[in-house]
Amino acid sequence: MNSLRSTLTRFLNLFRNHSRHDRELSAELASHLQLHIDDNLRAGLSPDEARRAALLKLGGLEQTKERVRDQRSLPFLETLFHDLHFAVRSLSKDRRLSLVAILALTLGIGASTIVFSVINSIYIDALPYKSLHRLVVFRVQNLANEGAWKGRNYFLPGELRAFRDENHVFEETITYNGIRLVYDNGRTTRYWPFGALVTGNTFDFFGVAPLLGRAISPDDARPAATPVFVMSYKQWQSEFAGDPKILNSVFILNDRPTTLIGIMPPDFTAFNASFWMPLTDTNSDGRMIGRLKPGASIVSAASDLDAIAHQVQKTSPNPAFPLPRNFSIIAETLLDSQIGALKATLYVLFAAVLLLLLIACANVANLLLARATIRERELAMRATLGATRARLIQQLIAESFALAAAGCLAGCSMAYFGVRLIAVLMPTHALPEGMSIRLNFPVLLIALCVALCTTILCGLAPVLYVLSRDLQPSLAAAGRSNGATARQTRLRSVLVVAEVAFSVILLLGSGLLLRSFLVLTRTDLGFDPHNVLFFRLSLPKPYNTDVDVTRVKKNALSRQMLEYLRSLPGVTSVAASMLEPPLESDFTDTIIPGKPHTERWETHEEACSSGYFELFGMALLRGRLFNRGDEAAARYVMVVNDTFARLYFPNEDPIGRKVKLDVLDRTFLDAPHNTYFEIVGIVSDFKTRDFDNPSWRLYPRAFIPYTVQGFSWRTYMARTSSDPGPLLKTIRKELETIDPNIEMSTSGTLEASLRDFYRGPQFELASVSSFAAIGLLLVVIGIASVMFYTVSQRTREVGIRMALGAQSREILFMVLASGFTLIASGLVLGVTLSVAAARLLASRISQISAVDPWTLLAVAFLVLLVGLVSCYLPARRASRTDPSISLRYE
């Protein structure tokens, strides 16, 4: 306890008034000295001898003061405080270098923490599921370009049983299926948002406990069990305002009393469902998720399931929903399946931030190496005067720590606000519900430690270099001029070349994304998307019972909705369709008598009303459009676009020819099976989305009357003469008068949908461009600092050249040529590396080559221009050197 008290007292003494203590100590020592002198005088010594003997007995005043000070405080901490104070003063004297180094550290720490936090939030700490990265989903992929199906992840009961019972890779599996429920609250009935039927082991499989109540168990999935369900947190909050009293209440769902047994926490959003019910029928179809056994891989899972699927195809094929003739099982983790296209974006961001980190590290290293060379003489002088290696190292560690601490503090601030900005800029629906982007403190801590260690190591370079060599050259008069060895100069040049090369890669990536984005957003789609609203309806149970009744009721409702939309003020045209273009479309194989084909003839088909062509401005090229009479009679007529006619009827007249849409032959759909439609007209094209990458393409399109089928959603659209937004409120009120149980499930405008679609490419472009701009800024700083340093080192040489007759213009060109060599070398290296890395961006750009020559030329011009401007100021400074001053420079 006494030792602890003593240590605490010594620590507190560090913060007390040292001048007052020194005055008191001097007075006390003077008193002791005088007492010894008096004793010596009484012993018969002369005054001089008495004083000398007293000093010898005390051991020297200054030495005694130092010993007493050491006993009163903690010498190491006191020295460290002095070193930090000196470090701040030293850095403040060289503000330009200090600010540049802090800026580089800030950008490196901030950018890396932002991107790695995003990656951690999406990949590592993504969802609260047990063994998340061992959860696997799979699908059937049609390997042949034939048939109506490209693939499916939905399986029949026999297929599910075979996968569950015969696999050798999963330790547990679950099955789920989508469901829509009609909720009867005693006053009205309406659909609840999408839910899921799940096997009884689902919640144990995911390992997530309910927030309230209990989860579904295997006993709940037995055929005779009491109907129960579990509700999502979002549904609980939006529908019942988070009232805990509804737990264990009975709800009328699909005319069946069902008990609410649990409410899940906010981060559990499995299958994007608002509720979960037990899947009681063992013969149900659906989708499957499996948890890999320890040691099993995705590849082994795909191979095992592929063998099972081919065996099922041979032994028990299902003619109503057959597996493709030539197929393969594709497996992926559950997480990969949910983040989709965002995964490729993350790869791009990861590569970009690594390049930026390399640029920042090279910049800091270059600056500190230049500073190290300048300080060689100072450190050599200190070592000559008796400073120990440990004392010099401690001093430089303090300086590096001060520099790194400032960079770390600014980097933390950048990371905090940057993560918030990323969360705002992230495309809508890019992340699964329940997943959020947040700052990851372990990632931030790692970035800070790396930055701190790197800065300290680079800061120690001067003392390690000076103390490992002869001190005489550094103390010589010309030491400053000759301080930079050829090895140091080459190292700094290599760092500059690397910075330029990495910056070129970032700029090329940004340039390609910019060109792709401009092409994507400025493409003429073939119609005007402005002022077009759309909405879909959730229809109550009477619209989804008997097939014939369903189609009649849906058609009657569609006619009523179209007439109502036509009557609204400001509406110029209206239409009904399955999906809203250009982002949504359905495809089918195309069967034309007399035109056999082995590959799939993919046509985008649309069941629509006759007003569809007017709304989208599709000009009639030949024949006629189908009309309301064709719709009322549900005639099998078809209108095709110009691309359809040119592709399938080259040098022929398609009018009057018969075409079958293979998708309508699916037995479980309410559609005319084995039916041929007569082509009655040809219309102009408009472009739709290419699902392989973000681009627009012309596809063969076929349009049939919406009244011939009743299986699909009905999307209603209206073009207005002004902003269509306010009309949606009017339409919602009208729906209540038509049928209180009808709800608007989806609504918006085509223009807003396109803006949302563009947010994905826009996010990539903004992120990579930000990194590219930061990288270019660091390159400018790096080149300018190195050239300024080079000019300062060559001051005496420049003075001699000018004294011997060299003109200012020649000196200017000499320095510019030196900088141009570094820039050109980095440019060549960067372009070479960019071509090699172009495949990373190939799937992220549309309608331009990944090695676009115009982008290469623009980036090369920008880098050369910026690089030469960075060299100009130090070159101009060198060209204006006064020879008489420079020759006396040392």
Side-chain angles (χ1 to χ4, degrees), residues 335-463:
L335 182 59
D336 285 346
S337 70
Q338 291 192 337
I339 62 177
L342 185 61
K343 182 168 64 174
T345 301
L346 293 179
Y347 289 154
V348 173
L349 292 184
F350 182 74
V353 79
L354 283 182
L355 291 173
L356 183 60
L357 273 176
L358 291 173
I359 294 173
C361 290
N363 204 296
V364 173
N366 222 335
L367 291 170
L368 293 180
L369 285 174
R371 187 168 182 263
T373 306
I374 294 173
R375 297 189 65 186
E376 282 182 16
R377 191 179 181 190
E378 171 200 339
L379 295 173
M381 181 67 73
R382 291 189 178 199
T384 303
L385 294 175
T388 64
R389 179 183 297 227
R391 190 67 188 84
L392 290 175
I393 289 177
Q394 182 177 334
Q395 172 64 51
L396 290 179
I397 286 178
E399 293 183 15
S400 299
F401 179 81
L403 188 67
C408 291
L409 183 62
C412 290
S413 302
M414 177 183 172
Y416 176 77
F417 292 105
V419 167
R420 288 173 171 252
L421 181 62
I422 286 285
V424 172
L425 295 177
M426 189 73 71
T428 308
H429 308 308
L431 297 177
E433 192 171 345
M435 187 184 294
S436 60
I437 304 298
R438 54 193 177 274
L439 182 65
N440 185 263
F441 288 100
V443 169
L444 177 60
L445 184 61
I446 292 173
L448 294 179
C449 290
V450 170
L452 187 63
C453 293
T454 302
T455 308
I456 290 175
L457 289 175
C458 290
L460 286 177
V463 69

Side-chain angles (χ1 to χ4, degrees), residues 6 20 22 81 126 207 241 245 267 347 408 443 539 589 628 647 731 741:
S6 173
R20 182 172 63 86
D22 286 343
F81 288 156
K245 296 179 181 178
D267 55 357
Y347 289 154
C408 291
V443 169
L539 302 179
D589 192 14
R628 296 188 192 181
L647 186 62
I731 296 170
N741 297 319

Side-chain angles (χ1 to χ4, degrees), residues 163-460:
F163 290 140
R164 182 179 62 248
D165 300 337
E166 300 175 21
N167 81 83
H168 302 89
V169 292
F170 295 141
E171 61 182 16
E172 190 177 6
T173 64
I174 60 172
T175 302
Y176 70 97
N177 204 345
I179 184 175
R180 287 182 63 81
L181 288 179
V182 176
Y183 168 52
D184 186 349
N185 62 8
R187 299 182 303 275
T188 60
T189 60
R190 57 189 176 81
Y191 273 113
W192 264 2
F194 175 82
L197 295 170
V198 298
T199 48
N201 64 330
T202 296
F203 291 89
D204 288 337
F205 180 88
F206 285 121
V208 180
L211 181 68
L212 297 175
R214 69 176 181 88
I216 293 171
S217 68
D219 291 338
D220 297 318
R222 292 176 180 174
T226 302
V228 297
F229 76 104
V230 172
M231 187 180 295
S232 72
Y233 183 87
K234 181 180 179 181
Q235 178 77 355
W236 180 47
Q237 291 291 330
S238 62
E239 190 79 18
F240 302 101
D243 183 6
K245 296 179 181 178
I246 67 170
L247 192 65
N248 298 318
S249 299
V250 177
F251 292 75
I252 305 302
L253 305 177
N254 279 1
D255 298 327
R256 188 181 186 188
T258 309
T259 303
L260 174 64
I261 61 172
I263 295 170
M264 298 305 293
D267 55 357
F268 184 83
T269 57
F271 322 124
N272 290 325
S274 61
F275 60 88
W276 299 269
M277 303 182 73
L279 186 63
T280 57
D281 186 359
T282 56
N283 289 319
S284 296
D285 47 14
R287 303 177 184 181
M288 179 176 282
I289 302 176
R291 182 186 297 112
L292 290 173
K293 294 178 180 178
S297 66
I298 294 288
V299 175
S300 64
S303 176
D304 186 63
L305 297 171
D306 189 80
I308 296 171
H310 279 87
Q311 184 62 31
V312 170
Q313 184 189 46
K314 293 179 182 178
T315 58
S316 53
N318 190 314
F321 203 57
L323 290 166
R325 184 169 57 87
N326 186 14
F327 72 90
S328 177
I329 294 290
I330 306 297
E332 60 181 344
T333 65
L334 174 65
L335 182 59
D336 285 346
S337 70
Q338 291 192 337
I339 62 177
L342 185 61
K343 182 168 64 174
T345 301
L346 293 179
Y347 289 154
V348 173
L349 292 184
F350 182 74
V353 79
L354 283 182
L355 291 173
L356 183 60
L357 273 176
L358 291 173
I359 294 173
C361 290
N363 204 296
V364 173
N366 222 335
L367 291 170
L368 293 180
L369 285 174
R371 187 168 182 263
T373 306
I374 294 173
R375 297 189 65 186
E376 282 182 16
R377 191 179 181 190
E378 171 200 339
L379 295 173
M381 181 67 73
R382 291 189 178 199
T384 303
L385 294 175
T388 64
R389 179 183 297 227
R391 190 67 188 84
L392 290 175
I393 289 177
Q394 182 177 334
Q395 172 64 51
L396 290 179
I397 286 178
E399 293 183 15
S400 299
F401 179 81
L403 188 67
C408 291
L409 183 62
C412 290
S413 302
M414 177 183 172
Y416 176 77
F417 292 105
V419 167
R420 288 173 171 252
L421 181 62
I422 286 285
V424 172
L425 295 177
M426 189 73 71
T428 308
H429 308 308
L431 297 177
E433 192 171 345
M435 187 184 294
S436 60
I437 304 298
R438 54 193 177 274
L439 182 65
N440 185 263
F441 288 100
V443 169
L444 177 60
L445 184 61
I446 292 173
L448 294 179
C449 290
V450 170
L452 187 63
C453 293
T454 302
T455 308
I456 290 175
L457 289 175
C458 290
L460 286 177

Side-chain angles (χ1 to χ4, degrees), residues 687-703:
K687 293 180 179 179
T688 52
R689 176 185 175 187
D690 181 0
F691 286 89
D692 293 330
N693 61 28
S695 63
W696 302 110
R697 286 183 55 190
L698 289 175
Y699 286 95
R701 297 182 66 86
F703 307 91

Side-chain angles (χ1 to χ4, degrees), residues 71-191:
Q71 292 298 320
R72 286 182 175 179
S73 63
L74 299 173
F76 173 77
L77 289 180
E78 188 172 8
T79 304
L80 180 60
F81 288 156
H82 286 303
D83 287 343
L84 288 174
H85 180 68
F86 179 79
V88 173
R89 289 175 55 197
S90 176
L91 293 175
S92 63
K93 289 181 180 178
D94 195 355
R95 292 187 183 89
R96 185 175 61 187
L97 183 143
S98 301
L99 291 176
V100 170
I102 291 172
L103 176 62
L105 287 170
T106 300
L107 296 175
I109 293 169
S112 60
T113 303
I114 291 169
V115 173
F116 292 144
S117 291
V118 170
I119 293 173
N120 180 81
S121 298
I122 295 177
Y123 268 108
I124 300 172
D125 191 23
L127 295 169
Y129 302 157
K130 180 173 64 178
S131 304
L132 173 62
H133 295 282
R134 288 199 286 137
L135 302 186
V136 172
V137 296
F138 52 95
R139 69 182 188 276
V140 173
Q141 182 70 44
N142 190 351
L143 299 180
N145 186 24
E146 61 181 17
W149 296 94
K150 291 184 178 180
R152 58 179 169 93
N153 56 3
Y154 191 86
F155 300 100
L156 300 177
E159 296 168 346
L160 289 173
R161 282 195 300 272
F163 290 140
R164 182 179 62 248
D165 300 337
E166 300 175 21
N167 81 83
H168 302 89
V169 292
F170 295 141
E171 61 182 16
E172 190 177 6
T173 64
I174 60 172
T175 302
Y176 70 97
N177 204 345
I179 184 175
R180 287 182 63 81
L181 288 179
V182 176
Y183 168 52
D184 186 349
N185 62 8
R187 299 182 303 275
T188 60
T189 60
R190 57 189 176 81
Y191 273 113

Side-chain angles (χ1 to χ4, degrees), residues 14 96 117 142 225 227 310 442 444 456 490 547 561 565 603 673 681 713 749 764 853:
L14 293 173
R96 185 175 61 187
S117 291
N142 190 351
H310 279 87
L444 177 60
I456 290 175
R490 283 196 301 270
V547 171
M561 289 303 305
L565 291 175
T603 295
H673 305 310
W713 292 97
T749 64
E764 283 185 345

